[in-house]
Amino acid sequence: MSESVIIVAGGSGKRFGSTTPKQFLNLNGKPVLMHALEVFFRYNPSIQIILVLPEAHVNTWNYLVEQHKFAVQHTLVLGGAERFNSVKNGLSVANGDLIAVHDGVRPLAHCKTIEHCFAAAQEYGAAVPVIPIVETLRQLTAESSETVSRDSFRAVQTPQCFRAPLLREAYSQEYTPAFTDDASVVELAGHMIKLVEGNSENIKITNPVDLAIAEALLKM
Amino acid sequence: MSESVIIVAGGSGKRFGSTTPKQFLNLNGKPVLMHALEVFFRYNPSIQIILVLPEAHVNTWNYLVEQHKFAVQHTLVLGGAERFNSVKNGLSVANGDLIAVHDGVRPLAHCKTIEHCFAAAQEYGAAVPVIPIVETLRQLTAESSETVSRDSFRAVQTPQCFRAPLLREAYSQEYTPAFTDDASVVELAGHMIKLVEGNSENIKITNPVDLAIAEALLKM
């Protein structure tokens, strides 16, 4: 089965306390986003890599590619207003039988995580990597909050992997704000999501502190 | 109001893939546990610090204290079979009007977090630091799992702070496995828990990778 990955790097970085969008921040000598692409190339050198970028960041990306002599082949697609639209734009050029959608700010997915997700997607149609919750969880209630059992919850990462026809059908739905991730889009189209064991290092670069954490994880 | 903190370091480290209990692992030149005690001393040099250790670890701790010339005054108390019993043992020597309970494997609480928790405990009786959930959450169901809104959940850290009489009363209950943390003990005794903003660096050293993360956070 042929494979595609849509890497979504849509954030403008406005909430990051830095003028550089977080996907372009330097991690161990190169932008976070290049790590994300390289992981998929290492996993499968013939995977189709589709990078979705906001139009405003294309020049910066092209400059960085040249500066770093970045050689990983990829197709560049322009992003849309919402993440939903960006994935949809990516889908329009995807040619794999199986399609992964991955956050551009997750530079540390393991090849094993990608492999297991694609395998589960082939078998079940839709699969996402999850990790256990290590902290105690409280749920907010109307008046206060209450302890809930963390054992019945999982934190969801990416890559989220799907059989291509299923993902295309799900993305033909009208956009609603209930679409929090690709799994929720597919779920609202009526399809079950298979949970696969993720790797805890596969963090999302959300705060400046995450960059220091990612550096530490890369050194391990 | 006088303050005490009960620092619970009961884990034997059996699940850590290391023969050294995780509270004794070296972080930036000294054991994780020493960092935890120092944070409270820095916050308030006259706070009563109570350290609860399993009997089997007392010799190691005494050796480390000598080796590191560790000068933070503290009262050593032996741990019990469950965390519940360890906290109870700590309570038996606590003399503060307000009492915090803190995980010995959290070396990176901010003084501001401690201050806010104690202040909220004084006002509301019981307060815990929480942080938002950054990942998408899924809840396991009987047949599968479903997306839930992460906005209505919070991850709970320590120190968990209480007015002393309230905490003592709660700890006079019979032990049940539903006691996941001190807040749940107080909650099951019928008292509301106030949520206070925690600091995201205040991680729990649970996996070997957390030690590398803590090193990176300390350097920031």
Side-chain angles (χ1 to χ4, degrees):
Chain A
M1 295 267 240
S2 60
E3 295 170 337
S4 301
V5 58
I6 300 170
I7 297 182
V8 188
S12 68
K14 270 175 197 154
R15 291 166 301 180
F16 199 61
S18 151
T19 47
T20 307
K22 47 200 174 177
Q23 62 270 26
F24 294 151
L25 288 174
N26 190 302
L27 171 61
N28 234 15
K30 65 186 138 196
V32 164
L33 187 52
M34 289 186 182
H35 290 271
L37 271 74
E38 280 174 350
V39 166
F40 282 88
F41 180 77
R42 268 203 307 276
Y43 157 70
N44 171 8
S46 61
I47 194 171
Q48 180 196 21
I49 298 178
I50 300 158
L51 174 60
V52 189
L53 271 184
E55 191 164 6
H57 295 162
V58 170
N59 283 344
T60 308
W61 175 249
N62 286 336
Y63 168 78
L64 289 169
V65 164
E66 208 182 291
Q67 192 189 32
H68 289 270
K69 301 184 181 18
F70 186 65
V72 173
Q73 287 284 334
H74 59 279
T75 305
L76 199 62
V77 170
L78 296 185
E82 300 286 342
R83 188 181 189 285
F84 178 83
N85 309 102
S86 295
V87 173
K88 219 168 162 166
N89 293 355
L91 266 177
S92 69
V93 302
N95 57 27
D97 300 314
L98 296 171
I99 302 176
V101 184
H102 188 62
D103 296 329
V105 289
R106 290 196 195 261
L108 298 169
H110 283 177
C111 285
K112 222 162 69 176
T113 299
I114 303 173
E115 187 190 325
H116 291 170
C117 278
F118 270 126
Q122 184 169 352
E123 189 171 350
Y124 299 96
V128 300
V130 297
I131 53 170
I133 309 283
V134 294
E135 307 278 15
T136 299
L137 268 191
R138 292 186 77 83
Q139 183 164 19
L140 307 184
T141 58
E143 312 228 308
S144 167
S145 68
E146 59 190 19
T147 304
V148 293
S149 167
R150 65 181 177 195
D151 294 343
S152 50
F153 292 87
R154 296 290 182 274
V156 184
Q157 311 172 326
T158 70
Q160 305 196 346
C161 298
F162 309 91
R163 279 191 221 124
L166 183 68
L167 188 61
R168 279 186 217 285
E169 194 200 313
Y171 267 89
S172 69
Q173 297 174 99
E174 281 286 313
Y175 170 77
T176 92
F179 294 158
T180 52
D181 61 356
D182 307 288
S184 64
V185 177
V186 168
E187 193 166 48
L188 283 162
H191 202 281
M192 196 272 286
I193 309 296
K194 177 72 180 173
L195 306 187
V196 170
E197 193 183 331
N199 62 283
S200 58
E201 299 83 359
N202 185 15
I203 60 167
K204 200 168 158 178
I205 307 294
T206 310
N207 299 302
V209 81
D210 298 326
L211 207 60
I213 292 173
E215 292 267 2
L217 292 173
L218 265 180
K219 268 175 208 139
M220 277 193 92
Chain B
M1 295 267 238
S2 61
E3 295 169 339
S4 301
V5 58
I6 299 170
I7 298 180
V8 189
S12 68
K14 270 175 198 154
R15 292 166 301 181
F16 199 60
S18 149
T19 45
T20 307
K22 48 198 172 178
Q23 62 270 24
F24 294 151
L25 288 174
N26 191 302
L27 171 61
N28 234 14
K30 65 187 139 198
V32 164
L33 187 53
M34 288 187 183
H35 290 271
L37 271 74
E38 281 175 347
V39 167
F40 282 88
F41 181 77
R42 269 203 307 275
Y43 156 71
N44 171 9
S46 60
I47 194 172
Q48 180 196 20
I49 299 177
I50 300 157
L51 174 60
V52 189
L53 272 184
E55 192 165 6
H57 295 162
V58 170
N59 283 346
T60 309
W61 175 248
N62 287 336
Y63 167 78
L64 290 169
V65 164
E66 207 183 291
Q67 193 189 31
H68 290 271
K69 300 184 181 22
F70 186 65
V72 173
Q73 286 284 333
H74 60 278
T75 304
L76 199 62
V77 170
L78 297 185
E82 299 286 341
R83 189 179 187 286
F84 178 82
N85 309 102
S86 295
V87 173
K88 219 168 165 170
N89 294 354
L91 267 176
S92 69
V93 303
N95 58 27
D97 300 313
L98 296 171
I99 301 175
V101 184
H102 188 63
D103 296 329
V105 288
R106 290 197 194 261
L108 298 170
H110 282 178
C111 284
K112 223 161 69 176
T113 300
I114 303 173
E115 188 190 324
H116 291 170
C117 278
F118 269 126
Q122 184 168 355
E123 190 173 349
Y124 300 96
V128 300
V130 298
I131 54 170
I133 309 282
V134 294
E135 306 278 17
T136 300
L137 268 190
R138 293 186 75 83
Q139 183 164 19
L140 307 184
T141 57
E143 311 229 306
S144 168
S145 67
E146 59 191 18
T147 304
V148 292
S149 167
R150 66 181 176 196
D151 295 343
S152 50
F153 292 86
R154 296 289 181 277
V156 185
Q157 310 172 326
T158 71
Q160 306 197 343
C161 298
F162 310 90
R163 278 192 222 125
L166 183 68
L167 188 61
R168 279 184 217 286
E169 195 199 312
Y171 267 90
S172 70
Q173 296 173 100
E174 281 287 311
Y175 170 77
T176 93
F179 294 158
T180 51
D181 60 356
D182 307 287
S184 65
V185 177
V186 168
E187 193 166 47
L188 282 163
H191 202 280
M192 196 272 287
I193 310 296
K194 176 73 180 171
L195 306 187
V196 170
E197 192 183 332
N199 62 284
S200 58
E201 299 84 357
N202 185 16
I203 60 167
K204 201 167 159 180
I205 308 292
T206 310
N207 299 302
V209 81
D210 298 325
L211 207 59
I213 292 173
E215 292 267 3
L217 293 172
L218 264 180
K219 269 177 207 138
M220 278 194 91

